[in-house]
């Protein structure tokens, strides 16, 4: 079936798109990593061998497999092969503790685990027993090597028609606020994303997407999936490195990027950034963490092509989009709700708030998770229903709509500081700090206070060679903010603690401040 006819269908499988491109443009490059490059025909044949091997090993539609490894062609083939066999994919973060990995493997009900050498070493070093068969990627010495496990060349799997509600993936939350939760996406959700991106994302057969975020992250998948679905080329980086990224972008004439804010920051901070030829870029995307207005402006000024910021959650629900190149006066916002997405703001009692007032962001769309895997209570806690019974997902973020319908995020609800009865939004203080010429990045958190309940403290990374001390910087900030917003302390640090996808781990900052003792 041709790709145009396939995309007209109300439901489809990403693996079928790869097959369609293999038939129509067999020699076109599909996937490239540090070691090899596969055309669509070669990649499709490898995906067939993976699917056939899964079926040989007894995996049935609805079963799951887990992958925990750095990005590679093998990883991509396992992902697509699982989908072709009707198997749900549970991509796991290699940065997780061995105990957390063991818990996620068990929770996902994975029948097989695909691991690379670093993950295998971590599991064995921690004494984690093999509860499911392991397949070694990238030369990992365990169970069977990937090449030996594969079905023979020329193998074709049995066809597995999609069923309504069939699971595409189980993506685990970071676990920074407790045990990781498995977020279930079905094929219908992913198909809706593909069809929407086909119309608005600028992807196509001539697209070249450089993937520099890990494949276990939904951030990555919302770029990886449409590139392959629409016949483009995916270039995989197993680990982000700013210089290497720029070299690959120039060499492969990259057209699309999905990067998290800290990656944009590190790329633009390079003294040689402007020497690279990035004129091939058509569109750059950002999500997963706040992208400051100043950084957006710098990207627009120095990096060719458009810039789109997505705001949403892996759980789905509702998303906002800001085409920064079209709305340069709205860079402080995350844009408007996407077409067909219903975003509302509610107060602590679950009542909707009017335009201009602050509330928690909740969202509804046709890209909404089925729920948390095997955790109905946590699923229910994440839901909000309007008066008509319409289901929304709660984001935990606090924001405000302006008169033009653009959403400004204030903070995570749990990060809001209540000091002496006043609400303080850390993002307001961070915005002030970011205006200082010596500040590279910063984070503000609330710490316990005997006098005020909570009080704001800032953690700041300075530029190299900066000539300002912590107390002088604190006084500079406090001279520009209201009395209730003043920083009680400011600490300089070499770097901010971040998750593997670039989110600042504010809980670690809170816990590490003065040993967690309350201030006066």
């Amino acid at each position: 079936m041709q790709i145009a006819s396939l995309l007209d269908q109300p439901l489809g499988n990403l693996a079928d798109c790869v097959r369609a491109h293999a038939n129509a443009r067999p020699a076109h490059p599909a996937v490239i990593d540090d070691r090899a490059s596969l055309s669509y025909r070669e990649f499709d044949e490898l995906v067939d061998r993976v699917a056939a091997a899964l079926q040989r090993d007894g995996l049935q539609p609805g079963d799951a497999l887990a992958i925990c490894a750095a990005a590679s062609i093998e990883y991509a083939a396992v992902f697509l092969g699982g989908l072709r066999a009707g198997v749900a994919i549970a991509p796991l973060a290699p940065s997780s503790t061995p105990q957390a990995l063991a818990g996620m493997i068990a929770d996902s009900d994975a029948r097989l685990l695909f691991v690379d050498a670093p993950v295998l070493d971590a599991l064995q070093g921690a004494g984690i027993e093999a509860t499911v068969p392991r397949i070694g990627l990238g030369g990992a010495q365990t169970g069977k090597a990937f090449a030996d496990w594969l079905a023979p060349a020329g193998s074709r799997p049995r066809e597995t028609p999609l069923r309504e509600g069939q699971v595409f993936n189980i993506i685990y939350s970071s676990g920074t606020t407790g045990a990781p939760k498995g977020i279930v996406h079905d094929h219908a959700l992913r198909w809706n994303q593909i069809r929407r991106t086909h119309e608005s994302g600028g992807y196509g057969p001539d697209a070249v997407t450089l993937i520099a975020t890990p494949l276990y992250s939904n951030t990555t998948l919302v770029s990886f999936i449409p590139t392959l679905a629409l016949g483009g080329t995916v270039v995989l980086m197993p680990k982000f490195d700013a210089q290497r990224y720029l070299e690959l972008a120039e060499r492969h004439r990259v057209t699309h990027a999905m990067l998290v804010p800290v990656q944009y920051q590190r790329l633009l901070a390079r003294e040689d950034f402007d020497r690279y030829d990035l004129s091939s870029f058509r569109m750059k995307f950002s999500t997963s963490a706040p992208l400051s207005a100043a950084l957006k402006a710098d990207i627009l000024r120095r990096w060719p092509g458009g810039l789109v910021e997505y705001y949403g959650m892996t759980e789905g629900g509702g998303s906002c989009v800001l085409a920064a190149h079209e709305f340069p006066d709205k860079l402080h916002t995350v844009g408007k709700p996407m077409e067909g997405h219903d975003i509302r703001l509610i107060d602590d009692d679950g009542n909707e708030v009017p335009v201009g007032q602050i509330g928690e962001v909740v969202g509804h769309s046709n890209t909404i998770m089925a729920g948390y895997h095997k955790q109905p209570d946590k699923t229910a806690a994440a839901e909000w229903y309007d008066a008509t019974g319409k289901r929304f997902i709660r984001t935990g973020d606090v924001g405000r709509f302006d008169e033009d319908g653009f959403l400004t995020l204030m903070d995570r609800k749990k990060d809001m500081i209540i000091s002496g009865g006043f609400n303080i939004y850390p993002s307001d203080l961070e915005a002030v700090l970011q205006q200082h010429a010596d500040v590279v990045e910063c984070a503000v958190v609330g710490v316990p206070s005997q006098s005020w309940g909570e009080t704001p403290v800032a953690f700041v990374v300075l530029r190299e060679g900066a000539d300002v001390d912590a107390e002088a910087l604190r006084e500079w900030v406090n001279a520009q903010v209201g009395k209730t917003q003043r920083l009680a302390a400011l600490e300089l640090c070499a770097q901010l603690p971040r998750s593997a996808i670039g989110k600042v781990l504010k809980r670690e900052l809170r816990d590490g401040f003065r040993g967690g003792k309350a201030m006066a």
Side-chain angles (χ1 to χ4, degrees):
M1 182 181 294
Q2 298 205 353
I3 189 65
S5 300
L6 193 58
L7 292 172
D8 284 338
Q9 296 182 351
L11 180 63
N13 190 330
L14 172 62
D16 292 340
C17 296
V18 171
R19 172 66 49 77
H21 295 303
N23 291 334
R25 305 165 70 229
H28 190 74
V31 188
I32 300 170
D33 66 11
D34 284 348
R35 295 177 296 170
S37 173
L38 294 188
S39 68
Y40 266 94
R41 180 186 62 228
E42 293 167 331
F43 185 56
D44 185 61
E45 290 172 351
L46 183 57
V47 168
D48 264 349
R49 294 175 67 187
V50 170
L54 293 171
Q55 292 176 344
R56 176 203 64 208
D57 289 355
L59 275 73
Q60 302 291 325
D63 286 341
L65 66 82
I67 318 174
C68 192
S72 67
I73 287 176
E74 291 177 343
Y75 191 126
V78 171
F79 200 113
L80 272 291
L83 298 178
R84 185 164 286 174
V87 174
I89 312 301
L92 309 180
S95 58
S96 304
T97 66
Q99 291 73 23
L101 285 177
M104 290 185 284
I105 292 164
D107 182 78
S108 68
D109 299 317
R111 296 278 307 279
L112 289 175
L113 171 64
F114 295 80
V115 293
D116 61 10
V119 173
L120 178 64
D121 290 345
L123 289 172
Q124 292 178 336
I128 303 298
E129 296 182 2
T131 56
V132 297
R134 295 173 180 174
I135 310 300
L137 302 179
Q141 300 298 309
T142 182
K144 282 188 177 181
F146 179 70
D148 297 331
W149 171 83
L150 276 175
S155 297
R156 295 291 292 267
R158 300 184 303 275
E159 291 191 12
T160 55
L162 286 178
R163 304 188 309 270
E164 184 177 351
Q166 188 164 321
V167 176
F168 183 105
N169 60 246
I170 306 170
I171 294 182
Y172 284 85
S173 63
S174 64
T176 55
T177 56
K181 301 183 290 291
I183 301 165
V184 177
H185 296 145
D186 60 18
H187 279 264
L189 179 147
R190 291 300 187 189
W191 194 248
N192 285 330
Q193 288 181 332
I194 289 169
R195 297 177 77 194
R196 182 189 71 210
T197 307
H198 175 54
E199 298 170 353
S200 63
Y203 294 95
D206 60 344
V208 180
T209 300
L210 180 52
I211 298 292
T213 48
L215 281 169
Y216 66 79
S217 166
N218 192 57
T219 294
T220 310
L221 294 181
V222 297
S223 188
F224 173 81
I225 290 171
T227 301
L228 289 178
L230 301 172
T233 301
V234 169
V235 181
L236 297 169
M237 287 187 74
K239 184 178 181 180
F240 176 74
D241 174 83
Q243 180 179 343
R244 179 68 173 156
Y245 184 93
L246 293 168
E247 292 171 349
L248 289 172
E250 184 176 71
R251 178 190 309 166
H252 293 289
R253 305 296 296 161
V254 169
T255 63
H256 288 71
M258 171 65 84
L259 294 165
V260 295
V262 68
Q263 291 174 320
Y264 280 113
Q265 184 181 67
R266 290 173 183 172
L267 286 163
L268 290 165
R270 288 189 60 85
E271 292 183 359
D272 61 352
F273 175 84
D274 297 311
R275 300 177 195 167
Y276 289 90
D277 180 6
L278 305 180
S279 59
S280 57
F281 273 90
R282 296 203 297 264
M283 195 64 67
K284 302 172 297 298
F285 302 97
S286 182
T287 189
S288 292
L291 187 63
S292 71
L295 184 52
K296 289 175 194 172
D298 199 21
I299 296 168
L300 290 174
R301 183 171 59 254
R302 300 173 60 197
W303 196 331
L307 173 65
V308 172
E309 180 180 21
Y310 289 123
Y311 164 69
M313 298 177 67
T314 301
E315 287 87 338
S319 297
C320 288
V321 61
L322 175 68
H325 51 287
E326 296 178 4
F327 298 98
D329 59 333
K330 296 291 187 180
L331 300 187
H332 60 289
T333 78
V334 293
K336 291 183 174 183
M338 299 179 70
E339 185 177 354
H341 289 226
D342 187 354
I343 307 289
R344 305 186 197 177
L345 305 179
I346 60 173
D347 62 21
D348 290 342
D349 297 321
N351 301 312
E352 291 186 52
V353 304
V355 172
Q357 291 192 17
I358 295 171
E360 181 185 355
V361 182
V362 298
H364 169 91
S365 71
N366 62 3
T367 54
I368 191 169
M369 70 170 180
Y372 293 119
H373 189 53
K374 299 192 293 188
Q375 299 194 60
D377 291 345
K378 290 184 178 179
T379 300
E383 298 170 331
W384 176 81
Y385 291 84
D386 72 3
T388 69
K390 190 174 182 179
R391 177 175 176 246
F392 291 72
I393 296 295
R394 305 180 72 131
T395 67
D397 291 327
V398 177
R400 175 174 53 209
F401 279 111
D402 66 19
E403 63 278 4
D404 298 317
F406 287 76
L407 177 65
T408 298
L409 292 181
M410 312 304 291
D411 266 299
R412 294 288 294 167
K413 190 173 182 179
K414 63 182 177 60
D415 289 336
M416 186 177 71
I417 302 164
I418 303 178
S419 182
F422 293 94
N423 293 344
I424 300 173
Y425 296 99
S427 60
D428 290 342
L429 293 168
E430 291 163 358
V432 174
L433 274 163
Q434 286 163 355
Q435 294 173 16
H436 195 285
D438 289 328
V439 173
V440 173
E441 55 183 351
C442 61
V444 174
V445 302
V447 301
S449 166
Q450 295 175 359
S451 301
W452 307 107
E454 287 184 301
T455 192
V457 170
F459 296 83
V460 177
V461 178
L462 296 177
R463 66 172 178 83
E464 188 175 350
D467 186 24
V468 63
D469 62 28
E471 184 57 23
L473 185 56
R474 185 180 78 92
E475 291 178 357
W476 180 85
V477 173
N478 287 348
Q480 301 182 67
V481 300
K483 184 177 180 180
T484 60
Q485 295 177 298
R486 290 175 185 168
L487 295 173
L490 186 149
E491 290 193 359
L492 301 179
C493 47
Q495 61 183 13
L496 299 178
R498 293 182 181 273
S499 68
I501 202 64
K503 294 182 179 179
V504 175
L505 301 175
K506 289 194 171 184
R507 186 176 67 177
E508 289 191 11
L509 294 174
R510 289 189 196 94
D511 293 347
F513 179 71
R514 293 192 178 183
K517 296 179 182 178
M519 298 188 70

